[in-house]
Amino acid sequence: QAAKLYVDGSLAATKAGFNIDTQPPTAGDYRVVVTNVYGTVNSNAATVTVVPGTLAGYTDGLIAYYPFNSNANDESGSDNHGAVNGATLTTDRTGVTGKAYSFDGVNDYIVGAKNLPDTQQLTISAWIKPNEDKYAGIFYDASFNQSGRDTMLATLTGNSVQANFTKNSAASTGIIKATGVLQNQTWTHAVLTLGPNGSSLFINGVLNGTSAVVSHNVGYHSNPYIGAENHGAGVQYFFNGTLDD
């Protein structure tokens, strides 16, 4: 038995069996032709689009990007560089040293140099590896002295992740909770999306929860905090673990 991979009508690879790996990835229409002693079968075409391997490859709407390349600089072009307070560089989720930050859960945090801009939609993405099951800030953008004007992503006891978003000034607070999705010393990817059609929380690429509360990131802002929160009375709710982009 042999499997053949065609890209845009041209033979790209042939391999015994049915697993084919072509590197580097190439955009185009893919079709598999399988041949054995009984004949040949052609698959339908599948269109593959190749996207950038990091967020640095995206420019449309990116307002802050912290890849932790041996520092906490913002590489989105917005120059909202992070000031590191106690957190230390460590190994990231792919095993590369100096590409993630470790937080001690006592007084470590990173804070952006300036407020985030007003946006009608917002997506927050973070890789989380906790050392402790407790309430702690992952991302925080809020209003000092203006309660109910927060956008935050946090860990909760019960190995959970929770998003709060109240900048829409609605009577109800937007809350999405993903219960029991974390495990100590294990990487978990969390993504929060806010927008005019409601909000969603994804865990490891799978939709975990939604809210019908229409939200955005318009109004009151603090400097963005990573690994802690600051409700106006000082930095608190320190995360104990490692964070990556």
Side-chain angles (χ1 to χ4, degrees), residues 3 9 28 37 40 50 53 70 120 130 139 143 170 195 207 217 230 243 245:
V37 295
T40 299
V50 179
S70 300
Q120 292 294 331
F139 168 86
S143 164
L207 179 63
N217 206 45
N230 187 341
L243 297 178
D245 69 307

Side-chain angles (χ1 to χ4, degrees), residues 16 20 41 46 52 61 68 77 80 95 98 101 117 140 149 169 190 192 196 199 205 216 227:
I20 294 178
V41 176
F68 297 152
N80 197 351
Y101 270 100
Y140 188 74
R149 299 293 185 269
S169 302
L192 170 65
S199 305
H216 48 60

Side-chain angles (χ1 to χ4, degrees), residues 175-188:
I175 297 177
I176 307 176
K177 181 179 179 180
T179 303
V181 297
L182 297 177
Q183 182 177 343
N184 284 353
Q185 297 298 313
T186 300
W187 286 107
T188 299

Side-chain angles (χ1 to χ4, degrees), residues 151-187:
T151 300
M152 67 181 81
L153 186 67
T155 63
L156 297 179
T157 55
N159 297 311
S160 302
V161 175
Q162 180 166 302
N164 290 54
F165 37 96
T166 56
K167 278 196 170 67
N168 58 341
S169 302
S172 59
T173 298
I175 297 177
I176 307 176
K177 181 179 179 180
T179 303
V181 297
L182 297 177
Q183 182 177 343
N184 284 353
Q185 297 298 313
T186 300
W187 286 107

Side-chain angles (χ1 to χ4, degrees), residues 85 102 122 130 162 199 206 229:
N85 293 266
S102 175
L122 181 68
Q162 180 166 302
S199 305
V206 178
E229 298 177 3

